[in-house]
Amino acid sequence: MTANNKHNLGKTFLKKQLPAYIKLASSVSLVVGAMGVAPYSFAQDDADALEEVVVTGQRASIQSAQDVKRNASVVVDSIVAEDIGKLPDRSVTEALQRVPGVTVGRYTNNDAEHPAAEGSGVAVRGLTQVRSELNGRDVFSAASGRGISFESVPAELMYAVDTYKSPSADMIEGGLGGTVNLRTRMPFDSDGQMVSVSAKANYGDQMKETDGEYSGLYSNRWETDAGEFGVLVNASTSDLATRSDQVYSRAYMPRTIDGDDVWVSKGVDWRRNDHQSTREGGYLALQWAPNENTELYFTAFQTKHDNVYDENAFFLEGHTGDQALVPTSDNDWVFSENGAMESGTVTVTNPAQWGLDFGTSTRWAQNVSKTTDYATGIKWSPDDKWKFSADLQYVKAEAHVDDYTLGLKVIPAEAYMDGIGTETPSIIIDDAYMSNFANYNLGQAMTHFERNEAEAKTGRIDAEYDFDGDIIKSVKAGVRFSEKTADNINTGYDWNTRYATWFGFDKNSIPKVTPEQAENYLTLYSFDDFQRGDVSVPAAGYLYSSNAARNFRATTDAVNADCETGGAWWCDGFVYSEWDRLENPIYRNLQEEKTVAMYMMANYGFDDLAMPIDGNIGVRVVQTDNTASGFLVGNEAQDQAGNVVFDAFNEPLNAKTNQTHVLPSFNLRMQATEDLFVRFAASEAIWNPSFSDMQAFVTISADINDETGVIEGFNLSQDTNPYLQPMEATQFDLSVEWYFDSNGGMAYAALFNKQVEGFFKKNTDGFAIGEFTGQATWLDNVGSGDINGLEIGVNKFFDALPAPFDGLGIQANYTYIDSNADIPLNTQPTTGDTQAGAAPLDTDRSSYGQLPIDQLSKNAFNIIGMYEKDGFSARLAYSWRSKYLISWGGNGFDPDFNDGLGGKARIPVYNDDYGQLDASVSYTFLDNYTVTAEASNLLKEKTVGIIDQNAAGDHVAYSYAQDARFALGIRARF
């Protein structure tokens, strides 16, 4: 072991030593919370004989991250910026996917219908219940109140990102998969003045647009008569334009065609999404050390993410009855061996009257989220025994969503479909028919609004006493109080239509688009080079212009003006009019949560053993009181004669929950040899539901007997549950770490087990609320799961190779995860009943049995090749994860049953295997200047979804083709 690996972190950490040693700087990440103290590690006889090693670039990043892992008292993996404003990847989320046991999703809010512009949704060891922190403190977005989207945080502001996989008692509770701590720099991290600026240009191959990123940092420290002062200011702004081309094959429904039982898809969608995203961030840090024993600090951090997307879509929808897809008289349909329709010319039973239901839509949405964090505190060590700290934090989060959709309907008599259920479904419709606006009618409209605000006030006090004992090294205790409030308005998706084929109207009597309407609001649109030319789409079609959708109210007021004067039948009840939805109190969700947590933890060590042992053992007790305020809403119900048999109503609903959790934790580290460490960890963990999941908004609908008009019961269908309980997990970890050289060489292996209770799933069962009883489908704590996994990895620089190959290095890791879920299966329905249970159901009501836990890939690996020498640095990184379950019954994959008994199917959808290749090259000249070139998604990989159906078989549900991105930048540091 070289001298620079022998420093004793058990000694008092002096701020003036920090700039001299990269490794000591990295160990600051072990401060759990803003006021924690560096953990105890094995004492070495020559601990003070520190050897300064000057390391830069990727090697510095890896060695710093490696020291974090080695010196930690818990299981942790870190990513450290190789230079100011430069994480190894362009976003926090993309960087996290390189960490062993961490995988990244590709969807917005885990909705398989909506791909994200960048990697989104982090899972640690197969669980997406990942706690997010900023410098060891709670940080969150307004809608959820629990965590923040890592892709919303500018990577340029980050010094390091730490992923904790086992907790200690002094860590804030929450996070079943783990805790991701976003760590920023402090002024005392640097020796004197430091200035850094950077600029970068980004380009997407499909979007064909160039955007810029800019960041700057200034840091300095001064010795004065009043002590030492430090200040750091950091700012970042970036724009990103990206394009995603999406194609969908809808679920297969059981049908009888020419006397044969077959499966026919509901239709096909094509969409192009253009994202325009702006990330802005600012950070201020002040430090004051009046003496060697005292430090005061203040930090202010703000991140703002403004995302706008334009969506243009064509879609063919097949329905039931007279609107179901059938062959033409030529009957050229081709079926798979499972009887699933693959290609053929489609029409409907009476094309002269009904026709195919073909739609086009334009969607414009803007989502602006902002989180501001202020923190201040003091660290005081009056002597060699005591350490005290106190910290105050205030967080303010806001989110604002405006989402508009406008659509048209066109009703051709027939169309030819091909490649249904593959990555390249295509459709051919008469071009002349599709290119004539007079064949279209003004169709559907939809709005969605959110106005979310949340804030938290938090204080904590910690104290530690150092015994310097033979076994008990120190005892640490603390208390934390947090009061969090949220005022969230979510209007839902308010969909209305002027006309749809299932209304039973004759297509020939529907008013068509006028020349004036076409000129003012429509555009003839074609999908240019869709999925880089891989998929055939109708050549052209009319849809609302993006400007018309963006100015939704003016557009709808204008096209519906004749409804107000003429009382036209097609407008009666089917035009958008509820502009007061944001003021309607039933859509408002008020949350108030108070949390008190206390802990006690002992740091222990057995130094005299042949294989020394140290670690910590402790318990954290958490009490949480939550009140959700909203409304119980009853919908008006009428009999077939139009008589009101159940009056609409709404009344306040206040739902209160109170929980106490006792969370023990145990961490052990054994030094088998000088460079070989063995760890064991065991703990209990919880994950609280988001505020949006706990919304107190319950809707009751009466179930009316069509013949008698008598109320036979009530139905309740909710995506929320104000009484939802936290998920719980018992977890174990056993790992081995071998640090085989002093130049970043390391190998490791870890086994882990997590036993999870109370997943958040939609469940269907009976309910009773006051006088109302009936059938309910709502979010509930359902089932349990068991996760077992293995992580292995190696880091190595090949310094012994002859020049110029001595600059080569490699990082590689592999994760294997197996899971078993126990979700209540479904009961069979009786006539008119919804099938009860939470497990998935196919469109023929057949069951699937137990499925794996969602978001969990069985296999995942990263392999990174590196080269660094004489100012030149290169990196080639490939990340891959195997097929995983996204969800069942999610948006777009919950079609109505076509057997007349009511209810919806809940079909499982999987993300297929996905691998992404990224690269970067940089060159440093004149010591302070670095030029960089970066590329992501070099292989132009598509995100592919698989729809799992029993008799119909597995088919491609969708394929998303996203940009390959290229960037060129320059950084300067002084």
Side-chain angles (χ1 to χ4, degrees):
M1 177 184 289
T2 58
N4 63 313
N5 281 329
K6 294 186 178 181
H7 47 267
N8 180 7
L9 297 181
K11 293 182 177 292
T12 302
F13 189 84
L14 300 178
K15 63 183 182 302
K16 293 181 181 179
Q17 291 178 313
L18 187 59
Y21 310 104
I22 292 175
K23 296 180 179 182
L24 286 177
S26 297
S27 66
V28 175
S29 70
L30 302 177
V31 178
V32 181
M35 69 299 293
V37 179
Y40 174 86
S41 76
F42 298 112
Q44 304 290 339
D45 293 338
D46 55 349
D48 296 317
L50 293 172
E51 174 187 333
E52 182 176 354
V53 178
V54 179
V55 188
T56 61
Q58 297 180 81
R59 188 186 295 264
S61 172
I62 291 171
Q63 288 187 354
S64 296
Q66 186 169 301
D67 277 345
V68 171
K69 186 176 184 71
R70 177 174 184 151
N71 295 315
S73 61
V74 295
V75 180
V76 61
D77 288 289
S78 292
I79 306 164
V80 179
E82 66 184 65
D83 200 353
I84 298 172
K86 183 63 180 74
L87 280 180
D89 291 272
R90 71 170 312 277
S91 75
V92 172
T93 304
E94 296 288 348
L96 279 168
Q97 72 178 327
R98 317 295 183 195
V99 174
V102 178
T103 51
V104 170
R106 302 286 162 182
Y107 306 97
T108 300
N109 298 324
N110 196 36
D111 179 359
E113 286 255 314
H114 294 97
E118 303 173 87
S120 176
V122 172
V124 177
R125 291 181 166 176
L127 292 172
T128 57
Q129 292 77 27
V130 177
R131 175 177 174 74
S132 57
E133 294 184 346
L134 176 66
N135 295 322
R137 305 181 191 90
D138 190 26
V139 65
F140 53 87
S141 62
S144 70
R146 298 302 177 200
I148 195 168
S149 297
F150 297 117
E151 61 270 20
S152 298
V153 180
E156 294 80 8
L157 300 187
M158 293 300 104
Y159 176 32
V161 180
D162 306 314
T163 302
Y164 292 93
K165 299 175 180 177
S166 73
S168 55
D170 55 350
M171 293 178 65
I172 302 172
E173 68 283 349
L176 302 189
T179 295
V180 174
N181 181 36
L182 308 177
R183 183 153 48 96
T184 57
R185 296 177 182 271
M186 295 293 285
F188 289 168
D189 291 353
S190 304
D191 188 9
Q193 179 173 278
M194 181 170 58
V195 179
S196 175
V197 293
S198 67
K200 184 190 296 182
N202 283 294
Y203 177 81
D205 76 311
Q206 292 186 121
M207 192 65 175
K208 295 179 171 42
E209 180 176 320
T210 302
D211 301 286
E213 298 181 15
Y214 309 94
S215 66
L217 178 144
Y218 173 80
S219 179
N220 209 345
R221 55 195 293 180
W222 303 271
E223 290 280 3
T224 72
D225 293 339
E228 187 168 13
F229 290 88
V231 61
L232 184 150
V233 180
N234 197 359
S236 169
T237 181
S238 66
D239 293 313
L240 175 69
T242 187
R243 169 180 163 182
S244 175
D245 291 348
Q246 310 152 31
V247 59
Y248 301 78
S249 293
R250 292 304 177 183
Y252 284 81
M253 307 299 293
R255 296 281 306 282
T256 300
I257 301 293
D258 294 336
D260 296 324
D261 292 331
V262 296
W263 297 86
V264 180
S265 171
K266 284 178 61 67
V268 182
D269 296 24
W270 301 266
R271 303 180 190 174
R272 170 176 164 173
N273 274 20
D274 291 350
H275 289 261
Q276 301 284 342
S277 178
T278 300
R279 269 192 296 250
E280 297 175 347
Y283 173 61
L284 169 68
L286 306 174
Q287 283 179 291
W288 174 35
N291 53 59
E292 288 290 340
N293 300 320
T294 309
E295 179 187 314
L296 293 89
Y297 57 86
F298 171 81
T299 63
F301 180 93
Q302 184 177 94
T303 179
K304 181 180 179 181
H305 190 203
D306 186 343
N307 184 60
V308 174
Y309 77 84
D310 288 279
E311 178 181 273
N312 296 310
F314 291 174
F315 51 92
L316 174 64
E317 287 189 288
H319 299 286
T320 59
D322 291 335
Q323 289 81 47
L325 300 180
V326 298
T328 60
S329 58
D330 293 335
N331 197 353
D332 57 353
W333 282 21
V334 176
F335 296 89
S336 71
E337 60 182 14
N338 292 329
M341 186 259 198
E342 294 179 334
S343 66
T345 306
V346 297
T347 184
V348 294
T349 304
N350 186 356
Q353 184 178 359
W354 306 118
L356 295 175
D357 190 356
F358 195 95
T360 72
S361 74
T362 306
R363 187 172 185 177
W364 182 90
Q366 181 178 38
N367 187 334
V368 182
S369 61
K370 182 170 72 173
T371 297
T372 306
D373 177 292
Y374 301 99
T376 187
I378 183 172
K379 301 176 186 178
W380 179 47
S381 181
D383 53 38
D384 291 338
K385 298 292 186 181
W386 284 101
K387 301 182 183 75
F388 298 95
S389 60
D391 187 84
L392 295 173
Q393 180 196 20
Y394 174 74
V395 178
K396 175 74 172 180
E398 303 169 79
H400 181 121
V401 177
D402 288 321
D403 191 342
Y404 302 116
T405 302
L406 288 170
L408 305 175
K409 288 290 185 181
V410 61
I411 313 171
E414 63 180 47
Y416 180 78
M417 301 169 64
D418 190 23
I420 307 305
T422 72
E423 288 187 34
T424 57
S426 62
I427 188 167
I428 298 174
I429 301 178
D430 181 59
D431 291 344
Y433 185 87
M434 293 292 292
S435 300
N436 185 355
F437 67 80
N439 292 320
Y440 291 75
N441 70 282
L442 303 178
Q444 70 273 13
M446 184 176 71
T447 63
H448 171 69
F449 302 111
E450 293 184 38
R451 301 292 185 268
N452 303 317
E453 294 183 358
E455 64 177 20
K457 302 170 185 175
T458 304
R460 65 178 287 178
I461 299 174
D462 297 78
E464 183 173 11
Y465 185 78
D466 189 348
F467 287 97
D468 285 333
D470 292 335
I471 298 177
I472 302 299
K473 305 300 182 181
S474 66
V475 173
K476 188 177 181 181
V479 61
R480 178 180 181 269
F481 174 79
S482 179
E483 182 179 51
K484 190 177 291 185
T485 59
D487 184 350
N488 296 335
I489 302 174
N490 186 327
T491 65
Y493 290 88
D494 183 36
W495 185 87
N496 294 269
T497 184
R498 294 163 59 100
Y499 169 75
T501 56
W502 60 86
F503 289 170
F505 301 136
D506 187 327
K507 71 174 185 179
N508 301 298
S509 64
I510 302 301
K512 300 300 191 295
V513 169
T514 66
E516 182 181 11
Q517 290 171 334
E519 181 179 359
N520 292 336
Y521 310 116
L522 308 188
T523 183
L524 185 63
Y525 183 83
S526 62
F527 288 97
D528 179 36
D529 194 28
F530 188 78
Q531 292 207 350
R532 303 183 178 93
D534 289 346
V535 178
S536 298
V537 186
Y542 274 92
L543 44 68
Y544 277 98
S545 68
S546 178
N547 187 61
R550 187 182 296 109
N551 296 289
F552 181 91
R553 183 163 190 176
T555 301
T556 54
D557 284 350
V559 299
N560 294 326
D562 56 345
C563 298
E564 300 175 3
T565 58
W569 60 265
W570 64 85
C571 296
D572 187 19
F574 299 113
V575 296
Y576 190 81
S577 59
E578 281 195 74
W579 288 108
D580 62 346
R581 288 172 75 87
L582 278 170
E583 287 73 45
N584 190 332
I586 69 172
Y587 299 113
R588 193 170 190 177
N589 173 33
L590 299 175
Q591 300 276 345
E592 181 177 350
E593 182 177 271
K594 295 181 180 179
T595 302
V596 178
M598 295 176 286
Y599 77 90
M600 181 170 287
M601 183 180 76
N603 294 306
Y604 63 86
F606 299 88
D607 303 333
D608 296 329
L609 298 177
M611 296 181 182
I613 291 173
D614 73 356
N616 60 68
I617 183 170
V619 63
R620 188 176 187 90
V621 180
V622 185
Q623 179 177 311
T624 304
D625 298 322
N626 184 282
T627 300
S629 301
F631 283 87
L632 174 65
V633 177
N635 293 323
E636 180 185 282
Q638 300 178 0
D639 60 20
Q640 287 187 324
N643 301 310
V644 176
V645 295
F646 184 73
D647 292 322
F649 72 90
N650 63 77
E651 59 185 48
L653 174 63
N654 292 315
K656 296 184 178 181
T657 58
N658 180 289
Q659 297 127 25
T660 300
H661 290 91
V662 179
L663 307 174
S665 60
F666 174 75
N667 291 277
L668 177 148
R669 179 180 63 165
M670 180 178 71
Q671 188 176 17
T673 68
E674 192 174 36
D675 299 316
L676 185 67
F677 294 83
V678 179
R679 297 181 187 271
F680 174 76
S683 62
E684 298 276 351
I686 60 172
W687 174 261
N688 287 305
S690 70
F691 285 163
S692 55
D693 284 341
M694 295 184 70
Q695 181 176 3
F697 179 43
V698 179
T699 304
I700 302 289
S701 300
D703 186 8
I704 309 297
N705 185 301
D706 290 337
E707 295 181 359
T708 65
V710 174
I711 299 176
E712 296 182 335
F714 295 89
N715 296 315
L716 182 152
S717 181
Q718 297 298 129
D719 293 327
T720 64
N721 181 356
Y723 300 101
L724 204 60
Q725 301 292 305
M727 293 171 59
E728 300 177 349
T730 302
Q731 47 198 20
F732 301 93
D733 192 284
L734 177 65
S735 61
V736 179
E737 301 160 9
W738 178 31
Y739 301 89
F740 52 76
D741 67 40
S742 60
N743 300 315
M746 172 191 177
Y748 53 90
L751 296 171
F752 57 88
N753 169 262
K754 293 178 182 287
Q755 300 159 28
V756 185
E757 298 280 347
F759 290 108
F760 304 152
K761 300 291 184 184
K762 290 288 288 291
N763 193 17
T764 300
D765 208 343
F767 79 95
I769 298 180
E771 62 183 293
F772 305 109
T773 60
Q775 193 81 3
T777 300
W778 65 352
L779 198 63
D780 203 357
N781 294 102
V782 175
S784 61
D786 192 57
I787 298 172
N788 296 284
L790 164 71
E791 296 170 0
I792 58 175
V794 63
N795 303 333
K796 172 64 178 175
F797 285 94
F798 302 101
D799 301 298
L801 293 176
F805 303 106
D806 53 345
L808 289 171
I810 189 172
Q811 284 184 286
N813 61 66
Y814 165 76
T815 303
Y816 172 83
I817 302 178
D818 190 27
S819 69
N820 295 293
D822 184 10
I823 304 297
L825 298 179
N826 307 285
T827 59
Q828 293 299 319
T830 57
T831 301
D833 291 336
T834 301
Q835 198 156 349
L841 283 173
D842 205 347
T843 53
D844 60 353
R845 296 189 184 270
S846 61
S847 298
Y848 290 81
Q850 299 296 345
L851 296 181
I853 295 174
D854 54 304
Q855 309 303 314
L856 190 152
S857 287
K858 180 166 286 191
N859 299 283
F861 69 82
N862 292 279
I863 184 164
I864 303 171
M866 299 171 289
Y867 184 83
E868 197 157 60
K869 189 175 178 65
D870 300 330
F872 179 80
S873 179
R875 181 173 183 260
L876 189 65
Y878 185 74
S879 296
W880 182 91
R881 64 180 299 189
S882 63
K883 176 181 174 182
Y884 65 93
L885 177 64
I886 302 171
S887 64
W888 62 77
N891 180 33
F893 302 99
D894 57 345
D896 295 330
F897 291 117
N898 61 357
D899 56 12
L901 297 180
K904 287 178 173 291
R906 299 190 289 265
I907 304 175
V909 178
Y910 292 81
N911 193 102
D912 204 2
D913 302 349
Y914 181 86
Q916 181 169 306
L917 182 66
D918 304 324
S920 63
V921 178
S922 68
Y923 179 71
T924 300
F925 59 99
L926 300 178
D927 294 331
N928 296 325
Y929 300 92
T930 302
V931 291
T932 63
E934 302 170 1
S936 62
N937 194 21
L938 274 171
L939 301 180
K940 301 178 181 178
E941 187 76 11
K942 293 181 181 179
T943 300
V944 176
I946 305 296
I947 187 168
D948 180 7
Q949 296 195 249
N950 292 321
D954 293 353
H955 292 88
V956 173
Y958 54 79
S959 172
Y960 302 155
Q962 295 173 295
D963 278 332
R965 301 204 57 80
F966 305 91
L968 187 65
I970 185 168
R971 295 197 309 273
R973 176 176 177 174
F974 308 98

